Amino acid sequence: MKIGYKLAAEAFGPAELVRQAVLAEQAGFDFVEISDHFHPWLDNQGHSPFAWTVLGTIAARTERIELATGVTCPTIRYHPAIIAQAAATLALLSDGRFTLGVGSGERLNEHVVGRGYPAVAERHELLREALEIIRLLWRGGYRSYEGKHLRLEDARVFDLPDELPPIAVAVSGKASTAIAAELGDALFATEPDPEIVRQYRAAGGDGPGYAEVPLAWAPDERTAARAALETTRWALTGWKVMSELPNPVNFDAATGTVREDDILEHFACGSDPERHVAVAQPYVDAGFDRLVMMNSGPDPDGFIDFYRQELDSRMRQLKPSGA
């Protein structure tokens, strides 16, 4: 079991994210994970710095903690050749501490380059081709590729690490789990669905499973819930909504009926460590062994200290129910 800290890149600026990553290392977290967005989910979050610059700075400011994208879409806003180069460089700068998390993306971030945002089936085709291109370039030498959607012409990544970074593939169903099993090294998900892990294993996937656990720390439950409602209510819409809406204003409209009680039902709110453990347990039962603490509370420093004092040992002792 490894425990990670989610860097909320939509809620904090780049210098603050680096500061939190340093604190996370000091508190004993195994890794930090950052989303790769162009826009925040909601305007009142107010941020969305370039994830790769933030990760490079974190690599220079830390010594032990692992780094991950959670996740990058290597198909529309970026060409996969750029991501192959970026990931290889970050692996070198971090001395092998980087995991490349990839997925098929969200309209929120990908539509900005004016290339449209395709339907699900085509997004899966794009992701498969992107991973083939990344793997091809990581073999070294000059490479070309002619796919249905993506092309590569006489390209070479010159700086490659001796040990390539693992690739964690975000999944939501059978088609994406098949891609993760074939072309990835790990699984990434946001829901405690045991069927996702089962499908991944059945398709031959044998890597670790990453999952984000929704938490909101504050000294009292209601303060935590209000903070999560203000900035993170989008998380309750589900992936089919999250992947399709184009702008923060649309997420604001789509979540207008979410209430504090809805947040309390889905998030571990407040300072009771047993409630936080209880929200994490279904992810362990589903088969995930890389738990990302996604704190939506108002005080990141308070949460990191709470994790160090109250949660670290409890989370690491979690086992599947009945084991």
Side-chain angles (χ1 to χ4, degrees):
M1 180 71 70
K2 288 189 175 183
I3 310 298
Y5 176 77
K6 180 65 182 267
L7 294 168
E10 299 80 30
F12 300 101
E16 172 61 15
L17 293 170
V18 173
R19 188 189 73 86
Q20 289 181 27
V22 172
L23 287 180
E25 180 175 66
Q26 294 169 355
F29 283 97
D30 297 304
F31 64 96
V32 290
E33 174 218 302
I34 187 171
S35 55
D36 185 357
H37 275 212
F38 194 87
H39 290 147
W41 297 102
L42 298 169
D43 279 328
N44 64 6
Q45 290 181 293
H47 296 278
S48 198
F50 188 55
W52 294 91
T53 304
V54 175
L55 285 170
T57 306
I58 292 170
R61 302 277 181 86
T62 57
E63 297 178 356
R64 173 196 57 81
I65 200 163
E66 297 174 9
L67 319 173
T69 47
V71 294
T72 287
C73 176
T75 61
I76 300 174
R77 184 166 41 113
Y78 303 120
H79 189 280
I82 303 304
I83 298 304
Q85 181 188 36
T89 299
L90 191 52
L92 288 166
L93 288 174
S94 64
D95 295 321
R97 291 183 283 143
F98 177 62
T99 294
L100 174 61
V102 299
S104 58
E106 307 95 7
R107 189 182 302 272
L108 175 70
N109 305 297
E110 305 311 313
H111 82 276
V112 299
V113 294
R115 294 178 53 202
Y117 187 66
V120 173
E122 185 174 332
R123 298 203 299 263
H124 287 153
E125 291 174 351
L126 279 161
L127 182 59
R128 173 178 289 279
E129 291 187 6
L131 289 171
E132 289 174 350
I133 288 171
I134 291 169
R135 294 290 193 195
L136 183 65
L137 285 168
W138 283 357
R139 288 163 52 187
Y142 286 92
R143 303 289 177 175
S144 297
Y145 179 95
E146 188 75 26
K148 179 180 177 182
H149 306 286
L150 297 171
R151 285 171 291 281
L152 182 73
E153 183 179 342
D154 209 22
R156 177 182 174 186
V157 175
F158 274 79
D159 290 289
L160 289 172
D162 292 334
E163 185 174 346
L164 295 169
I167 298 177
V169 180
V171 304
S172 58
K174 193 170 183 179
S176 50
T177 51
I179 296 171
E182 180 183 347
L183 294 168
D185 304 296
L187 178 74
F188 187 98
T190 58
E191 298 179 5
D193 185 353
E195 184 62 16
I196 287 176
V197 179
R198 189 199 68 75
Q199 290 175 353
Y200 174 67
R201 302 298 181 204
D206 58 2
Y210 289 79
E212 295 179 344
V213 181
L215 315 173
W217 184 88
D220 66 277
E221 187 179 64
R222 285 293 173 180
T223 298
R226 284 194 293 272
L229 178 67
E230 181 179 356
T231 64
T232 320
R233 60 186 183 273
W234 51 266
L236 272 63
T237 60
W239 186 247
K240 289 186 177 181
V241 174
M242 289 167 61
S243 64
E244 295 295 344
L245 298 183
N247 287 302
V249 65
N250 302 112
F251 280 95
D252 188 34
T255 56
T257 59
V258 177
R259 299 292 178 256
E260 275 187 39
D261 286 346
D262 301 316
I263 297 292
L264 288 166
E265 181 180 350
H266 290 88
F267 283 68
C269 294
S271 57
D272 179 1
E274 297 309 318
R275 171 59 179 158
H276 289 256
V277 169
V279 169
Q281 183 66 57
Y283 293 87
V284 178
D285 291 343
F288 294 98
D289 54 5
R290 301 290 188 271
L291 301 185
V292 185
M293 304 292 101
M294 191 179 80
N295 173 47
S296 300
D299 179 6
D301 293 53
F303 171 74
I304 290 172
D305 190 54
F306 168 71
Y307 172 82
R308 179 180 59 81
Q309 295 189 50
E310 302 287 350
L311 279 188
D312 183 73
S313 61
R314 287 179 168 90
M315 289 292 178
R316 295 184 189 283
Q317 293 170 15
L318 284 175
K319 299 286 189 297
S321 299

